[in-house]
């Protein structure tokens, strides 16, 4: 219990701090680096939930593949630091303010009612392992798996068409 | 093995989602908006995994697999759009792009 709580608090603080630094940094390459840190912290949080397969996949797919692509594009574009500009709250920002207000109210209600739900005790690590998940994926969700393959193929072709030198007008 | 209450995980997920939403709305740089979308997707993944652990159910983990695949496809397309935009307009700031305005 103690170890789990301590590791959750440390990883949670790292996750929130690196998420804030992702959003607030003015140069995109620093944002990308803190986003990688955020993905690693989130993988650690998945480990405290006994989901080691998803944690490994998080590091492989997000911190590996997606962030390499993002850093590659940032270097390709050779961007400068964004200049400081006075923030003017416009009407289109009200959506974000409403979302944050709703979530803040939810958090306060959660933490003040003091009713906490504890998950089932026990060892779920074999159930959330690669073998059991692969069994489920290829037996019950085979159609969805194939559709995701088609989606990825379409995305690759679309990205190639989009990134070509001459866009067809 | 005792476990933490799920409210802690859900609260963390809500905070990360809020940070991502604020980033999408208040930033001008298209790449940072893109990374904020990844933050929001990740917080939803955290919620799926929390409930999967809470219920002792594997389906949440399968959902996370599919969300990851869709996020990979989205990142390829999104970055290609940003590249094409930079080729045409020499900018990645979304408030300087008004091709469809007039």
């Amino acid at each position: 219990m103690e170890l789990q709580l301590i590791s959750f608090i440390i990883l949670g603080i790292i996750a929130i701090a690196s998420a804030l630094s992702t959003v607030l940094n003015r140069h995109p390459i620093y944002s990308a680096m803190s986003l990688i840190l955020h993905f690693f912290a989130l993988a650690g949080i998945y480990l405290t939930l006994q989901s080691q397969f998803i944690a490994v996949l998080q590091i492989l797919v997000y911190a590996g593949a997606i962030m390499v692509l993002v850093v590659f594009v940032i270097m390709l574009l050779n961007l400068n630091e964004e200049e400081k500009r006075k923030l003017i709250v416009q009407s289109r920002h009200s959506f974000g303010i409403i979302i944050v207000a709703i979530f803040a109210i939810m958090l306060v209600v959660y933490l003040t009612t003091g009713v906490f739900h504890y998950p089932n005790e026990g060892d779920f690590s074999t159930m959330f392992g690669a073998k059991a998940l692969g069994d489920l994926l290829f037996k019950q969700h085979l159609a969805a798996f194939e559709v995701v393959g088609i989606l990825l193929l379409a995305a690759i072709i679309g990205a190639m068409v989009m990134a070509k030198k001459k866009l067809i007008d | 093995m005792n476990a933490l209450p799920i409210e802690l995980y859900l609260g963390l997920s809500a905070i990360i989602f809020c940070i991502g939403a604020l980033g999408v709305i208040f930033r001008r740089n298209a790449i940072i908006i893109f990374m904020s979308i990844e933050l929001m997707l990740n917080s939803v993944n955290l919620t799926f995994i929390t409930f999967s652990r809470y219920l002792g159910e594997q389906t949440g983990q399968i959902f996370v697999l599919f969300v990851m695949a869709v996020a990979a496809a989205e990142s390829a397309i999104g970055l290609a759009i940003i590249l094409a935009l930079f080729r045409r307009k020499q900018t990645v700031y979304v408030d300087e792009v008004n091709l469809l305005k007039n």
Side-chain angles (χ1 to χ4, degrees), chain B residues 2-80:
Chain B
N2 282 318
L4 299 175
I6 58 166
E7 275 80 4
L8 286 180
Y9 291 99
L10 294 182
L12 178 68
S13 163
I15 291 172
I16 295 174
F17 188 90
C18 284
I19 295 172
L22 283 181
V24 168
I25 288 175
F26 282 99
R27 291 306 302 257
R28 299 165 53 231
N29 194 325
I31 295 177
I32 291 180
I33 289 176
F34 172 78
M35 288 194 271
S36 304
I37 294 173
E38 298 288 335
L39 275 181
M40 291 163 77
L41 281 172
N42 264 292
S43 73
V44 174
N45 277 355
L46 180 58
T47 310
F48 271 127
I49 296 214
T50 305
F51 278 113
S52 151
R53 167 75 183 85
Y54 176 66
L55 300 170
E57 177 78 29
Q58 290 167 311
T59 316
Q61 315 249 334
I62 301 289
F63 268 106
V64 172
L65 288 181
F66 288 125
V67 169
M68 278 182 180
V70 172
E74 174 247 335
S75 76
I77 292 287
L79 289 170

Side-chain angles (χ1 to χ4, degrees), chain A residues 1-72:
Chain A
M1 176 66 185
E2 281 305 308
L3 185 65
Q4 210 179 0
L5 187 63
I6 291 169
S7 54
F8 174 78
I9 289 174
I10 292 174
L11 289 169
I13 289 174
I14 292 176
I16 292 175
S18 55
L20 274 178
S21 125
T22 301
V23 169
L24 295 179
N25 251 317
R26 280 220 299 290
H27 200 293
I29 196 85
Y30 297 135
S31 292
M33 292 303 145
S34 35
L35 192 55
I36 292 175
L37 181 63
H38 174 81
F39 287 153
F40 274 94
L42 221 54
I45 289 174
Y46 291 163
L47 283 181
T48 67
L49 287 168
Q50 303 183 2
S51 317
Q52 70 285 73
F53 181 60
I54 298 291
V56 171
L57 220 61
Q58 166 90 7
I59 292 176
L60 281 182
V61 174
Y62 276 107
I66 293 182
M67 290 320 288
V68 165
L69 205 62
V70 170
V71 171
F72 184 71

Side-chain angles (χ1 to χ4, degrees), chain A residues 71-148:
Chain A
V71 171
F72 184 71
V73 168
I74 292 173
M75 303 223 170
L76 204 64
L77 296 188
N78 193 17
L79 297 173
N80 297 318
E81 204 162 273
E82 186 177 341
E83 78 274 20
K84 253 191 190 153
R85 178 178 288 205
K86 206 176 158 221
L87 186 67
I88 307 161
V89 177
Q90 295 163 343
S91 56
R92 66 187 170 95
H93 294 154
S94 54
F95 170 68
I97 295 165
I98 289 172
I99 280 188
V100 172
I102 289 172
F103 272 100
I105 292 169
M106 272 169 55
L107 269 183
V108 169
V109 169
Y110 257 157
L111 297 179
T112 49
T113 50
V115 182
F116 289 120
H117 298 83
Y118 289 89
N120 299 326
E121 294 180 17
D123 190 9
F124 286 90
S125 48
T126 48
M127 203 171 143
F128 293 160
K131 187 169 182 292
L133 285 186
D135 239 22
L136 191 64
L137 184 62
F138 288 112
K139 278 180 184 157
Q140 287 188 23
H141 301 276
L142 187 60
F145 181 78
E146 302 289 348
V147 171
V148 160

